Amino acid sequence: MYIYNVTVNIDDSAHDEWLIWIKQHIPTVLATGKFEKATLTKVLVDEEMGGQTYSIQYKSYSREALDAYYKEDADNLRNEGLKKFADKMLAFRTELQIVDEYSVTFK
């Protein structure tokens, strides 16, 4: 299993608009059929550059599904945010491979 992680720093002046937009954008990414689910998290750190930082983690079905996303969907979906927020947003992407998962149940 793979996680496609997008980390975004958004300028405070565009934060509220971006947060509304990203909550609409995530279902669009999921609608490509390449991901099982997504998690939007706020990174709890004070950035020297200012703004607020978020991480969106998309859990992919497989390496093949992730590769298909890059080939078929990524450019168009990335450009939406770039056009809308231009110099107010800085994003970088990483891939994570799940090695093991653990959980605990308390009674």
Side-chain angles (χ1 to χ4, degrees):
M1 195 68 72
Y2 293 85
I3 295 173
Y4 174 60
N5 182 74
V6 182
T7 303
V8 178
N9 178 272
I10 188 73
D11 188 89
D12 288 329
S13 66
H15 174 264
D16 293 348
E17 181 183 2
W18 178 86
L19 195 56
I20 291 166
W21 175 81
I22 197 66
K23 289 179 179 183
Q24 297 167 348
H25 179 76
I26 291 170
T28 302
V29 174
L30 292 176
T32 66
K34 289 15 179 246
F35 302 99
E36 174 184 322
K37 68 178 186 175
T39 304
L40 172 63
T41 61
K42 186 170 185 177
V43 179
L44 301 177
V45 63
D46 289 330
E47 291 289 349
E48 287 182 29
M49 66 179 7
Q52 298 182 55
T53 302
Y54 289 83
S55 169
I56 306 98
Q57 297 182 352
Y58 299 95
K59 193 170 187 180
S60 180
Y61 292 107
S62 65
R63 175 82 248 176
E64 293 76 22
L66 185 54
D67 288 342
Y69 172 76
Y70 290 139
K71 183 178 179 183
E72 300 166 8
D73 308 294
D75 287 340
N76 288 336
L77 291 168
R78 287 177 186 174
N79 286 335
E80 287 178 19
L82 290 173
K83 286 179 188 173
K84 190 161 185 69
F85 298 101
D87 62 339
K88 302 288 184 194
M89 178 179 81
L90 174 66
F92 68 91
R93 293 148 183 90
T94 52
E95 292 180 12
L96 307 167
Q97 183 177 22
I98 297 172
V99 175
D100 264 328
E101 291 185 296
Y102 303 87
S103 63
V104 64
T105 304
F106 293 100
K107 294 181 181 184

